[in-house]
Amino acid sequence: MSRGVWTVCLCTACILLLAGCSGWQSALNPKGPAASELAWLIWFFAALCTVVWLLVMAVLIVPLARRPAPVGDPLLLDAAAERSKMRIVVAALAATALILVGLTLLSYLANRTLAAIGSDAALTIRVTGHQWWWEVRYENDQPNRILTTANEIHIPAGEPVRLIVTSTDVIHSFWVPNLSGKLDLIPGHENVLDLKADKPGVYRGQCAEFCGAQHANMSTFIVAEPRPIFDAWLNDQLRPALAPASSEAKAGHDLFLKRPCVMCHKIGGTIAGGTVAPDLTHIASRRTLAAGTLAMSRGNLAAWIADPQGIKPGAHMPVVGLNGDELNAIVAYLEGLK
């Protein structure tokens, strides 16, 4: 293969690698103070380690490239040369110790910066990991202002937010790379993650700890909005579910309440009060279904209800036997829950 072809291949590979450093799920494309602190730390560590590696390679290659001097008696030691080698070894050990201490100190200072982000957070959100979805609960001193939703987290842009994270089954890991680092969700234990989005936007997150068959399909979305828009969203979400607007949706409402759906799901304003599956009170207002597995649409909603195991094998949602008319009726009802 010619040198030109090798050059093109190398440049293409570099471009593809660098493409992974941007986007809505990249730790190197920070959109908040926590992610910025971590990104700076990553780049500094990478640059310093690169310099150290280059120096080590230089120290290794230069002696190998030199022509060896004539050797007299191989058992005769050169005292001056031995002292020189010892000085080099001692200097290398001292430099290694200084580098390690320096990197440790930088990590400590970065952790202090991260801990200070949520010191004045006005909003606390409890995030609970399930196999394989996220329960999101907005805490409030007034019980009627407590909101429970799923998989999609709305926050006010430019304001610190405190997340209290835990799990009900196995260890999960909450990670929204553009906004913060990873934090484990451990059954029976609460961890705290503080974050802030500098600007409005939608930031994708992912469970970063293998948690079972559908680990890869356990996504979340943080939607950062200006405070007035966030307040309006929160007030809308606190309202009970809308009444069915059509005869088909009314039939779907009645059918939903007669089927096993009510044993797992909750819909505010109805007798459906299940707590082991996502709250569906405003399901149609979300961007995705099944924790980011499908985009929200009538067709995907019907497909998910008809065959959840075909879409997300191992999910805890069972197949409920419905004929075509029943399926269309329930979909008509759910797509009106905005």
Side-chain angles (χ1 to χ4, degrees), residues 128-135 151 167-172 207 209-215 217-218 276-278 291 312 314-317:
T128 303
H130 300 266
Q131 289 179 307
W132 290 272
W133 61 282
W134 308 91
E135 179 183 349
N151 299 323
S167 171
T168 60
D169 37 50
V170 300
I171 296 177
H172 301 278
C207 178
E209 179 76 23
F210 181 71
C211 55
Q214 289 300 319
H215 161 70
N217 288 321
M218 188 175 172
V276 298
K312 199 167 180 176
H316 298 317
M317 181 169 170

Side-chain angles (χ1 to χ4, degrees), residues 187-199:
H189 179 77
E190 292 182 348
N191 284 330
V192 176
L193 178 66
D194 297 322
L195 55 82
K196 182 171 75 171
D198 289 333
K199 297 179 180 179

Side-chain angles (χ1 to χ4, degrees), residues 27-229:
L28 302 181
N29 185 23
K31 300 297 182 181
S36 296
E37 186 71 19
L38 293 173
W40 176 86
L41 204 61
I42 290 171
W43 283 119
F44 185 84
F45 270 55
L48 182 59
C49 291
T50 300
V51 171
V52 171
W53 182 82
L54 291 173
L55 290 175
V56 171
M57 291 300 103
V59 171
L60 176 64
I61 292 171
V62 170
L64 293 176
R66 286 180 177 175
R67 179 175 298 179
V71 178
D73 185 354
L75 299 179
L76 183 64
L77 295 178
D78 184 341
E82 291 299 314
R83 285 194 297 270
S84 177
K85 293 176 183 177
M86 181 58 68
R87 284 194 291 268
I88 292 174
V89 171
V90 171
L93 288 173
T96 301
L98 286 174
I99 290 172
L100 292 176
V101 171
L103 294 180
T104 301
L105 181 60
L106 285 176
S107 297
Y108 168 74
L109 294 175
N111 280 327
R112 287 190 59 185
T113 301
L114 297 178
I117 290 174
S119 58
D120 58 345
L123 180 63
T124 298
I125 304 172
R126 185 177 297 274
V127 179
T128 303
H130 300 266
Q131 289 179 307
W132 290 272
W133 61 282
W134 308 91
E135 179 183 349
V136 182
R137 176 186 169 101
Y138 290 76
E139 302 289 5
N140 199 291
D141 293 335
Q142 304 177 47
N144 65 329
R145 299 287 298 175
I146 295 175
L147 169 66
T148 301
T149 180
N151 299 323
E152 193 171 288
I153 305 173
H154 288 243
I155 64 173
E159 299 182 25
V161 176
R162 171 154 292 179
L163 304 183
I164 300 175
V165 300
T166 188
S167 171
T168 60
D169 37 50
V170 300
I171 296 177
H172 301 278
S173 184
F174 187 86
W175 189 32
V176 183
N178 296 108
L179 299 181
S180 68
K182 303 174 185 177
L183 189 63
D184 285 348
L185 287 70
I186 302 172
H189 179 77
E190 292 182 348
N191 284 330
V192 176
L193 178 66
D194 297 322
L195 55 82
K196 182 171 75 171
D198 289 333
K199 297 179 180 179
V202 180
Y203 308 100
R204 188 180 189 276
Q206 180 71 40
C207 178
E209 179 76 23
F210 181 71
C211 55
Q214 289 300 319
H215 161 70
N217 288 321
M218 188 175 172
S219 303
T220 185
F221 295 87
I222 289 190
V223 182
E225 303 163 313
R227 170 55 82 165
I229 296 177

